């Protein structure tokens, strides 16, 4: 399964569970996103390393757009709701993305050192 598909599926699953159990997207969604970003960065194949820190935030925004309760109707209301949802959850978003980026960078450097010694 591709990195993007795994990111979207995992994030939507965690967001759906959080919304079902607690009526919104809160701490469970944030923690699930962190775990997902860690798993993506650790398990992705070497040629796909750049996809890990990119797929997570896209999946995060998609989950917010689809599962966050909208307070107003219409396209403008959905866009404002998405923007405010991203702003409120920016800590989770940056933490997960940063975690994935650090792990991917470490894996890239380690792999280059292994290839240099051969």
């Amino acid at each position: 399964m591709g990195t993007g598909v795994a990111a979207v599926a995992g994030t939507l699953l965690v967001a759906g569970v959080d919304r079902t159990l607690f009526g919104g997207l809160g701490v469970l969604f944030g923690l699930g996103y962190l775990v997902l970003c860690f798993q993506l960065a650790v398990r992705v194949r070497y040629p796909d390393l750049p996809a890990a820190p990119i797929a997570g935030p896209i999946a995060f925004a998609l989950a917010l757009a689809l599962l966050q309760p909208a307070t107003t109707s219409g396209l403008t209301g959905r866009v404002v709701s998405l923007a405010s949802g991203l702003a409120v959850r920016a800590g989770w978003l940056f933490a997960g993305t940063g975690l994935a980026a650090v792990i991917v960078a470490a894996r890239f450097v380690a792999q280059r050192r292994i290839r240099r010694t051969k």
Side-chain angles (χ1 to χ4, degrees):
M1 185 172 6
T3 305
V5 173
V8 169
T11 307
L12 286 174
L13 178 70
V14 170
V17 168
D18 195 15
R19 184 168 178 189
T20 302
L21 293 178
F22 303 110
L25 302 178
V27 175
L28 181 62
F29 176 61
L31 289 174
Y33 177 71
L34 284 177
V35 170
L36 179 85
C37 285
F38 174 79
Q39 288 297 319
L40 285 175
V42 170
R43 294 178 184 260
V44 71
R45 296 178 312 128
Y46 179 75
D48 298 331
L49 279 179
I54 296 170
I58 294 170
F60 190 91
L62 184 64
L64 282 179
L66 294 176
L67 296 175
Q68 179 179 0
T71 56
T72 59
S73 61
L75 180 61
T76 305
R78 297 293 281 176
V79 171
V80 169
S81 179
L82 175 62
S84 64
L86 288 170
V88 167
R89 294 166 185 86
W92 292 112
L93 180 61
F94 288 130
T97 306
L99 176 66
V102 167
I103 292 170
V104 164
R107 284 186 60 196
F108 179 77
V109 169
Q111 189 67 30
R112 289 201 43 143
R113 286 185 181 169
I114 290 170
R115 286 186 180 184
R116 240 186 264 156
T117 59
K118 287 184 178 181

